[in-house]
Amino acid sequence: MSEIPETASGVVWQSSPPGSIYDYIKVASFSIGPDGLVDQWSRRAVDLFGITAEEVRGKDPVEVFMPAELRPRGHRQVAEILDGKEWTGLVPFRMPGGGREHGVAEVYVMPSETEDGDRAALCIVVDVRALRRIETDLAASQAIFGQSPFGFLLFGTDLTVQRANQRFATVFGGAAEDHRGRTVSDYLSRAEAERMNAALRRVLETGESAIDLQIIGATPGSSDRRNWSINLYRVHSGSGRPIGVAGIGTDVTRRHVAAREAASARRNLALLNEASARIGNSLDLETTARELLDVAVPGFCDLASVDLYQGLLSGDEVPPGRSDGSGELRRVAFASAVAGAPLVSAPGCGQDPDTPTAVGEVHRYPFNSPCASALRTARLQSIPGEDGSLVQSTLAVPMVAHDTVVGLAQFSRAKGSEPFGERDLALAWELAARAAVCMDNARLYRREHERALILQRSLLPPGDPEAAGLDIACRYLPGNTATEVGGDWFDVIELPGHRTALVVGDVMGRGLRAAVAMGELRTAVRTLALLDLEPAEVLSALDEVARGLGSPGSPAQGGGAGGGSQRVPRVAHKSREADLSEVYLATCVYAVYDPVTRRCTFANAGHLPPVLVEPGEEALLLDVPPGMPLGVGGEPFEEVEVELPEGALLALYTDGLVESRDHPLDEGLRAFRTALTDPVRPLEDVCDHVLNTLDTRHGEDDIALLMARVQGLPVDSVGDWQLPREPRSVGRAREMARAQLISWDLESLVDTVELLVSELVTNALRYGEGEIRLRLLRDRTLVCEVWDAGLVQPRRRRARDTDEGGRGLQLVGLLSAAWGSRRTPRGKTVWFELALPDGDSASEPTVEQLLSMF
């Protein structure tokens, strides 16, 4: 479109159609000369009537476009017009195309004069159908614009408001006309106005509509944030020229609030789901607190901290919470999504801003503080932030588990963040409660674990075990706090004759019950060992004990049919039976070593084989038949006797040392044997080397390791004699015992030994069978043994006043440190033990004790 400079009147002339209302109503014109014929025919008339100027010029207009039945009347009207009358009326006409359809034109006829002064007429013709359409469109436009429930604005090309509807005026005040000439800056903040103007310019320039443009603002007289959805589209004239931008606005604040609430609900559900997966994976209290903050920050809040009662952390048995809420707490965790934020507590909780509470520090909350109130009442406290503080608000949430307050969690949001809502309060309580339950479970587990560990360790040999002819070293490593207490145990039991029983076992299962079962089995082993039974007999008896302990039908299990008892369902009975039998199944290896002969007798109940390392040789697994685990029953146990060379190394162990989920058992045994190839070093160093070398994955299972280096009793520490079965052997025994004690520089024991040897040999002659054997052993104590082939065990009894004998064993029991008898493959052995003079010798019997025998 080309333009020329404006005239003085300000009118701009242009060569293109102006796009005015005449474009829509289709105005046409023609003129009638003095002769009543058409002399001029406009182009619009050509478009309206479909008749060219050549076809109509010089012809009667009535004949040209009026129907035949109306032509007489038309001629009269034309005559009247040429007489100088104006006329307006509706005139039917034939539609272009030659069809039978007729149109209706509204004709405005104005008389005129020619240059010669003759009368003529100028006719303005309007298509009535176009007028009706315009009226309909205007009515529809007015109805939509005025009655629309949405705010409607029409912006001009200068982006000022040209028109506003009543709905918009209702929201922003005043009448609709009052908004004419305003801009978006009159309604919106600067940033939002710039966004809106940019969108208006883009729509005006490109013609591309803007759909669902989100604008935030406030209505006059209100500070509430409103959300509007704006749709913009460009408006054109009839000729297609852009004349402005129309905007329709919808208040979607409720939709946004609902969307925010839905998003908040989804976020809370996601946080709870995350909390279920991440909180409580550890039985460590501090780790659980950090897991809580990892979930809460920054997904729920900007800053958070956890304080736990000091009593909870120190393992007190009493509930850690105090009634007044002012007990000692330790800050165990803090997290912040704000760089440089201090470890602050909620306002009014007594904390000095200059010295914030650090992680690990013990502190108290004042009685009247909101935090102490939360602890005291077990209710959540919402605490607003102070002026000039980084924190907008804080939720002080007591951590409650099983009606016990274990600590306090604080969740804070910084200024600029969304305030806490009702759903947030419920979420904060739920997060704190879940963490509290996990912490309380960890506390209870730790307490039970410590009890089981104390019980387990109390059942292990105290200190460094000692044995005649053996150098012993041992290691016991319990599982860490992430695993339950196991049932591994070892024991070193002194037997008569300076012999030693070495035991290593493993109860299947974990926890307190496994530790109790281990203690029961260990006690049974010691009892059976002191009966001086053979190793296979010990395991057979122990198998019976294990089956008795795990039997659900025993009276202790309440399975009897006494009065008032209830029948246990069969399914529950089987479940309990399976559970108990699993707890009391155990493996065990039992070995008895004789330092005089350096022979060791083994019996195995489903345990890993012992390892033997002879000097200068590779480590070997001893071929001891494994047998069935204790508690299974039905199979006898076999014995294997092995002579151990001087300096040999014997190792008994549990599966935790050689087996893990990362490598098979064979690989672990191979590595164990390799670690024992250098047994010359001190035995304690060998134990450390084994544990440091093997990939034990300590913590997955308990580890018990018992190692013994064979030394044997020196030949000069043993006195051994065969005595014939005759009365003079009693005197002969006294003489040999006296001579042996003198050679050992034990003259102080001669009288006592002579007396007691005389009593035992006399009993062997009187009640025993076959040859008699006398043996003296000197090690940490002095042991005297008298062997014979008789099977009748001596029995100590109290002699009557009138009895001349029967007081020999009473005298042995009174004068010795210990005495007893045991079966042997070819009879029995009666023995007594005396402390060496430089040891803790037994006190001499008093006169009253001696007289009490008579």
Side-chain angles (χ1 to χ4, degrees):
M1 179 177 66
S2 61
E3 297 183 356
I4 60 176
E6 296 184 0
T7 63
S9 61
V11 177
V12 178
W13 294 88
Q14 54 190 18
S15 60
S16 62
S20 66
I21 190 63
Y22 298 104
D23 296 328
Y24 294 97
I25 61 177
K26 297 183 178 180
V27 177
S29 64
F30 64 90
S31 60
I32 302 175
D35 54 3
L37 303 177
V38 176
D39 58 359
Q40 291 188 13
W41 191 257
S42 68
R43 293 181 179 177
R44 295 279 179 110
V46 175
D47 296 334
L48 179 62
F49 297 106
I51 304 173
T52 63
E54 291 77 10
E55 293 175 335
V56 73
R57 190 180 295 118
K59 295 182 179 180
D60 187 346
V62 176
E63 297 292 334
V64 172
F65 57 84
M66 290 189 67
E69 64 275 10
L70 298 178
R71 288 174 185 171
R73 183 179 177 183
H75 286 300
R76 289 194 300 271
Q77 292 295 336
V78 171
E80 292 177 358
I81 291 170
L82 292 177
D83 287 340
K85 293 182 178 181
E86 292 186 359
W87 180 83
T88 301
L90 298 178
V91 178
F93 66 92
R94 289 177 294 183
M95 294 292 294
R100 299 182 61 183
E101 185 179 357
H102 290 77
V104 178
E106 187 171 1
V107 181
Y108 302 89
V109 181
M110 295 170 286
S112 63
E113 294 182 355
T114 65
E115 293 180 358
D116 299 334
D118 297 329
R119 293 183 177 180
L122 177 63
C123 300
I124 305 298
V125 183
V126 178
D127 188 347
V128 173
R129 293 176 305 167
L131 289 176
R132 297 297 179 266
R133 285 196 301 270
I134 291 174
E135 290 175 354
T136 302
D137 292 345
L138 288 176
S141 175
Q142 182 60 33
I144 294 174
F145 188 81
Q147 301 173 19
S148 171
F150 309 115
F152 194 102
L153 287 177
L154 179 62
F155 295 93
T157 55
D158 58 353
L159 303 186
T160 60
V161 176
Q162 301 298 313
R163 188 176 180 185
N165 70 346
Q166 187 57 42
R167 175 60 181 169
F168 183 86
T170 301
V171 175
F172 286 93
E177 289 297 323
D178 296 340
H179 296 276
R180 189 183 301 273
R182 293 185 179 180
T183 65
V184 293
S185 298
D186 297 321
Y187 307 106
L188 302 175
S189 64
R190 180 175 179 180
E192 293 295 278
E194 290 178 353
R195 289 182 58 233
M196 185 70 174
N197 279 325
L200 288 170
R201 282 191 293 269
R202 186 166 55 253
V203 171
L204 188 62
E205 293 172 359
T206 65
E208 296 180 0
S209 301
I211 306 299
D212 196 20
L213 177 65
Q214 298 296 314
I215 297 295
I216 300 176
T219 57
S222 174
S223 60
D224 294 339
R225 290 158 57 95
R226 311 297 296 178
N227 295 83
W228 290 288
S229 174
I230 307 296
N231 297 315
L232 303 176
Y233 59 92
R234 191 167 68 180
V235 179
H236 304 84
S237 66
S239 63
R241 181 173 62 88
I243 61 174
V245 177
I248 301 176
T250 305
D251 192 335
V252 293
T253 303
R254 290 185 179 179
R255 188 172 71 189
H256 273 260
V257 171
R260 284 198 302 269
E261 291 180 351
S264 176
R266 287 193 299 270
R267 181 200 64 188
N268 291 357
L269 288 175
L271 280 174
L272 287 177
N273 183 59
E274 184 181 3
S276 299
R278 298 180 60 181
I279 298 177
N281 293 321
S282 169
L283 291 173
D284 181 73
L285 299 177
E286 289 83 353
T287 301
T288 302
R290 289 193 294 270
E291 289 171 348
L292 168 62
L293 300 193
D294 289 342
V295 173
V297 180
F300 176 68
C301 60
D302 300 316
L303 302 97
S305 64
V306 174
D307 299 323
L308 297 181
Y309 274 109
Q310 182 68 8
L312 174 72
L313 297 169
S314 59
D316 291 347
E317 292 292 333
V318 297
R322 288 183 58 180
S323 59
D324 62 356
S326 61
E328 285 190 342
L329 298 108
R330 184 194 303 172
R331 179 149 296 176
V332 296
F334 174 81
S336 172
V338 182
L343 306 177
V344 297
S345 291
C349 287
Q351 185 185 58
D352 186 356
D354 298 329
T355 57
T357 303
V359 173
E361 184 177 343
V362 178
H363 64 99
R364 297 176 184 267
Y365 289 117
F367 178 81
N368 293 324
S369 66
C371 293
S373 176
L375 293 168
R376 182 169 57 253
T377 63
R379 294 182 179 179
L380 183 149
Q381 300 287 327
S382 181
I383 309 169
E386 297 178 334
D387 294 339
S389 172
L390 171 70
V391 175
Q392 176 195 99
S393 60
T394 298
L395 300 180
V397 189
M399 305 179 71
V400 184
H402 307 118
D403 297 328
T404 299
V405 179
V406 299
L408 183 74
Q410 297 183 61
F411 306 108
S412 301
R413 287 185 179 175
K415 291 182 178 178
S417 299
E418 184 178 353
F420 287 114
E422 290 297 326
R423 284 193 176 90
D424 296 326
L425 302 184
L427 177 61
W429 183 266
E430 181 67 22
L431 290 175
R434 293 194 179 199
V437 170
C438 294
M439 291 177 180
D440 194 56
N441 290 340
R443 177 180 69 88
L444 295 175
Y445 172 83
R446 183 175 62 183
R447 183 183 65 187
E448 295 302 319
H449 185 272
E450 289 175 352
R451 289 177 177 177
L453 196 58
I454 291 173
L455 172 62
Q456 187 180 40
R457 289 178 173 173
S458 67
L459 298 174
L460 296 174
D464 296 328
E466 296 181 356
L470 292 177
D471 181 15
I472 295 179
C474 53
R475 294 290 186 273
Y476 174 74
L477 301 179
N480 58 29
T481 56
T483 60
E484 298 183 21
V485 173
D488 292 10
W489 92 91
F490 68 91
D491 208 346
V492 179
I493 307 171
E494 294 187 53
L495 300 178
H498 288 311
R499 293 171 304 130
T500 303
L502 304 176
V503 189
V504 169
D506 185 1
V507 176
M508 298 181 185
R510 295 183 181 278
L512 187 59
R513 296 182 67 187
V516 171
M518 178 269 283
E520 292 174 334
L521 292 177
R522 176 182 178 272
T523 302
V525 169
R526 294 189 70 88
T527 302
L528 294 170
L530 293 178
L531 294 177
D532 216 349
L533 302 177
E534 296 297 323
E537 294 177 331
V538 170
L539 293 187
S540 296
L542 193 62
D543 179 62
E544 293 292 334
V545 172
R547 280 190 289 164
L549 293 175
S551 174
S554 62
Q557 300 295 332
S565 65
Q566 297 181 355
R567 290 182 58 85
V568 180
R570 186 173 183 181
V571 174
H573 182 78
K574 288 184 176 180
S575 175
R576 189 195 311 174
E577 182 177 356
D579 182 37
L580 290 173
S581 63
E582 179 182 1
V583 169
Y584 288 104
L585 286 178
T587 64
C588 179
V589 61
Y590 184 88
V592 175
Y593 172 70
D594 188 341
V596 178
T597 62
R598 293 201 314 274
R599 301 190 69 83
C600 190
T601 305
F602 297 90
N604 191 350
H607 202 80
L608 294 173
V611 175
L612 178 65
V613 188
E614 297 184 8
E617 302 291 337
E618 294 183 354
L620 298 175
L621 296 176
L622 292 181
D623 187 13
V624 179
M628 299 299 291
L630 301 176
V632 175
E635 293 292 335
F637 297 96
E638 300 182 37
E639 292 182 358
V640 173
E641 188 176 62
V642 179
E643 183 174 353
L644 306 180
E646 187 75 18
L649 182 65
L650 179 66
L652 306 179
Y653 53 95
T654 56
D655 56 359
L657 182 68
V658 295
E659 186 177 21
S660 76
R661 67 186 66 180
D662 295 330
H663 56 74
L665 177 61
D666 292 343
E667 182 179 334
L669 289 173
R670 191 180 308 113
F672 181 39
R673 292 166 55 193
T674 302
L676 293 174
T677 54
D678 185 16
V680 180
R681 68 179 69 182
L683 202 55
E684 294 290 338
D685 294 345
V686 175
C687 288
D688 294 337
H689 175 70
V690 168
L691 295 178
N692 294 331
T693 302
L694 298 185
D695 185 14
T696 60
R697 299 290 181 183
H698 175 50
E700 294 181 0
D701 196 3
D702 292 3
I703 296 175
L705 174 62
L706 177 62
M707 304 185 72
R709 178 172 284 128
V710 177
Q711 295 175 340
L713 282 181
V715 177
D716 58 358
S717 295
V718 179
D720 196 350
W721 305 275
Q722 295 287 342
L723 299 174
R725 191 169 188 81
E726 55 187 27
R728 65 178 183 176
S729 293
V730 177
R732 177 65 178 160
R734 288 198 299 267
E735 293 175 359
M736 290 185 293
R738 173 185 290 273
Q740 186 66 64
L741 292 177
I742 293 174
S743 67
W744 287 341
D745 295 329
L746 297 177
E747 289 85 353
S748 60
L749 298 179
V750 168
D751 294 339
T752 302
V753 172
E754 281 188 333
L755 176 61
L756 298 184
V757 165
S758 177
E759 291 292 337
L760 293 185
V761 173
T762 300
N763 282 345
L765 289 173
R766 182 176 299 178
Y767 305 108
E769 299 176 5
E771 286 190 344
I772 300 171
R773 182 181 177 186
L774 173 64
R775 189 168 74 169
L776 293 178
L777 306 176
R778 186 194 65 177
D779 191 67
R780 288 176 291 117
T781 61
L782 177 68
V783 174
C784 175
E785 298 175 330
V786 176
W787 300 9
D788 69 82
L791 298 178
V792 179
Q793 296 290 326
R795 182 173 61 89
R796 182 177 177 180
R797 64 182 180 86
R798 185 171 187 84
R800 293 188 297 268
D801 294 342
T802 58
D803 292 342
E804 296 182 0
R807 296 179 179 84
L809 292 181
Q810 284 185 276
L811 190 61
V812 172
L814 184 63
L815 297 179
S816 65
W819 79 279
S821 67
R822 68 178 184 274
R823 290 183 301 168
T824 64
R826 293 180 297 275
K828 68 176 181 296
T829 299
V830 183
W831 58 272
F832 67 84
E833 183 177 0
L834 294 174
L836 299 180
D838 55 350
D840 297 330
S841 59
S843 60
E844 294 291 335
T846 64
V847 175
E848 289 76 7
Q849 288 175 325
L850 293 174
L851 291 177
S852 66
M853 295 187 299
F854 298 93

